Amino acid sequence: TGYFNALGNFKKVAFKVARSLDKQLPVTAFNPADTQLWASKTTALACENLVLSLRAYGFDSCMMEGFDEPMVRKILKLNDQQFPVMVIGAGERAKDGVFFPQYRFDRDLFIQKV
């Protein structure tokens, strides 16, 4: 993006002008924050594929956000340009389930047709 994001700002203006001409143009990252957002979204989509693949092979998994990012950065030895998007726990399902037997209430207690 250049010094002081000069090239990023120029690209943003040029793309806005080109879009006003009703041309199909790809959305692009104009600054480091846009790049990080794009990378996070793309990585989250890849994580979803990983979770679906795990399930296809008979494993269960859980995607988690809200983790201690500085600790994960330290454990994985990530530099300033790298950042964790989510943590995924994976393993074999317990035979008795996570919460043991589940109890179900009568649906009529909660659902009413209007």
Side-chain angles (χ1 to χ4, degrees):
T1 57
Y3 294 105
F4 303 112
N5 196 29
L7 295 175
N9 290 329
F10 175 75
K11 281 175 27 181
K12 187 180 276 190
V13 170
F15 270 67
K16 280 188 179 185
V17 169
R19 282 195 187 120
S20 67
L21 301 173
D22 293 331
K23 291 189 177 187
Q24 293 280 335
L25 292 174
V27 176
T28 185
F30 297 109
N31 56 45
D34 289 345
T35 304
Q36 187 170 0
L37 178 63
W38 172 83
S40 296
K41 289 180 178 181
T42 303
T43 303
L45 292 171
C47 289
E48 179 185 19
N49 286 336
L50 173 64
V51 167
L52 292 172
S53 298
L54 285 167
R55 187 68 199 131
Y57 281 96
F59 295 97
D60 283 338
S61 59
C62 179
M63 296 186 279
M64 297 173 272
E65 192 183 33
F67 51 87
D68 186 357
E69 185 175 335
M71 182 61 73
V72 173
R73 281 176 171 272
K74 183 178 178 183
I75 291 169
L76 298 176
K77 298 176 183 161
L78 301 178
N79 63 33
D80 292 339
Q81 299 296 317
Q82 300 167 325
F83 59 95
V85 174
M86 69 180 69
V87 173
I88 301 175
E92 294 181 17
R93 179 182 290 203
K95 293 188 185 344
D96 55 1
V98 177
F99 299 107
F100 298 101
Q102 295 184 0
Y103 299 99
R104 301 288 182 198
F105 293 99
D106 183 17
R107 296 179 88 186
D108 294 332
L109 293 173
F110 303 100
I111 300 173
Q112 296 179 6
K113 294 183 180 179
V114 179

